[in-house]
Amino acid sequence: MKQVYLLFFLLIVLSACTNVNEDNEELIRSVTDVQQDVIHSENLTTTIPENTSNTPSAFIALDQSILSVRDFESAYAMCVSALTAYYKAVWNGSDFDVNTYFDNDNLKQYMQTKIASQHELFLKNNLMDNTVTGLKTSVEKTEFHVEDDFLYLKIDAEVMKDVGSFAEPTEFLIQNSRGNLVIVDWYTSGKDCYDSIVRGEDLVIDNPEIWNEGEWVEDLELTTN
């Protein structure tokens, strides 16, 4: 089975990017630039158009018919926006519009359950007076899977709060759905993280169809209770 991986790492100093081909060099430069634009994600969220339908519309693919490696910048911006909205929903009680980021109903339900569960947990432990103010992010790893038609992103996020901060890595799979970039899987790792507890620890995140697998989804028992 033939599979093509385009691998690169986010580098702080562009001069360290040596011995790469012309396409990778251009891509690394665009990754570095976009990180500077979205590192303060408060500015990012103000540019996202309101979504009034049941399909994602805020993040448009460059080519309406296929996913491209050149969609990285929009995909990264989408994931940072989603992470920011998620942490603010959990810690601050803000709204999280699942329709902006997902088009799979099972994944939407899982994320709603996850947010409700985490928010309730923090309320019970009287942690809600220390709210999330923003994120600082960097890309740890990215892969473009041509045959399986998805982009993999692993993002390191430092969650900034009124007092202190904490860091968590999150893995995303992104696809093109009817011309819109959408998240088709989302996994935050760590011993006490919700995903690790519910889905299992140390998972390999490489199946964009996982939320369409009925038996696996049923085993998750997607309820808010």
Side-chain angles (χ1 to χ4, degrees):
M1 179 177 179
K2 191 175 180 181
Q3 192 169 39
V4 179
Y5 297 92
L6 296 179
L7 304 175
F8 56 86
F9 297 91
L10 183 66
L11 303 178
I12 297 175
V13 182
L14 288 176
S15 60
C17 302
T18 58
N19 297 324
V20 294
N21 62 36
E22 182 178 348
D23 288 342
N24 280 344
E25 186 175 9
E26 180 182 349
L27 188 57
I28 291 169
R29 184 179 301 113
S30 67
V31 172
T32 305
D33 292 343
V34 75
Q35 188 203 12
Q36 299 307 313
D37 291 339
V38 302
I39 193 168
H40 299 296
S41 51
E42 287 286 336
N43 296 330
L44 173 68
T45 56
T46 60
T47 66
I48 299 173
E50 182 180 358
N51 182 21
T52 58
S53 68
N54 289 325
T55 58
S57 62
F59 303 94
I60 308 301
L62 290 178
D63 187 320
Q64 295 294 287
S65 61
I66 61 171
L67 183 70
S68 166
V69 69
R70 302 302 176 189
D71 288 315
F72 173 84
E73 293 187 19
S74 293
Y76 177 51
M78 175 177 64
C79 291
V80 172
S81 172
L83 276 174
T84 303
Y86 165 75
Y87 285 115
K88 288 189 174 183
V90 167
W91 286 92
N92 307 359
S94 304
D95 292 333
F96 183 97
D97 184 2
V98 292
N99 294 318
T100 300
Y101 307 105
F102 316 110
D103 69 350
N104 182 285
D105 289 338
N106 292 325
L107 181 53
K108 289 179 185 180
Q109 187 177 352
Y110 177 81
M111 289 302 300
Q112 289 170 327
T113 300
K114 176 180 176 180
I115 289 170
S117 173
Q118 295 298 94
H119 185 67
E120 182 179 357
L121 177 64
F122 295 152
L123 279 175
K124 287 181 178 179
N125 288 280
N126 298 315
L127 298 174
M128 308 309 295
D129 57 343
N130 189 11
T131 59
V132 169
T133 58
L135 266 65
K136 292 182 179 180
T137 63
S138 62
V139 176
E140 179 177 333
K141 183 180 180 181
T142 185
E143 299 173 349
F144 184 59
H145 293 239
V146 176
E147 280 200 356
D148 295 319
D149 190 34
F150 70 86
L151 178 68
Y152 168 93
L153 277 174
K154 186 173 184 180
I155 295 177
D156 289 327
E158 181 180 4
V159 184
M160 312 303 295
K161 305 179 70 179
D162 288 330
V163 179
S165 65
F166 65 94
E168 289 182 330
T170 299
E171 298 172 81
F172 297 93
L173 301 184
I174 297 99
Q175 287 189 317
N176 180 333
S177 176
R178 301 180 298 278
N180 299 297
L181 299 180
V182 295
I183 297 170
V184 295
D185 199 12
W186 168 321
Y187 180 82
T188 301
S189 58
K191 183 177 179 181
D192 298 320
C193 291
Y194 183 91
D195 290 341
S196 296
I197 294 171
V198 175
R199 295 179 56 176
E201 295 185 40
D202 301 322
L203 296 184
V204 176
I205 307 303
D206 63 357
N207 180 8
E209 296 297 323
I210 193 167
W211 291 99
N212 294 320
E213 296 177 359
E215 184 175 346
W216 180 84
V217 171
E218 287 177 6
D219 287 344
L220 293 179
E221 297 180 357
L222 302 180
T223 66
T224 55
N225 298 321

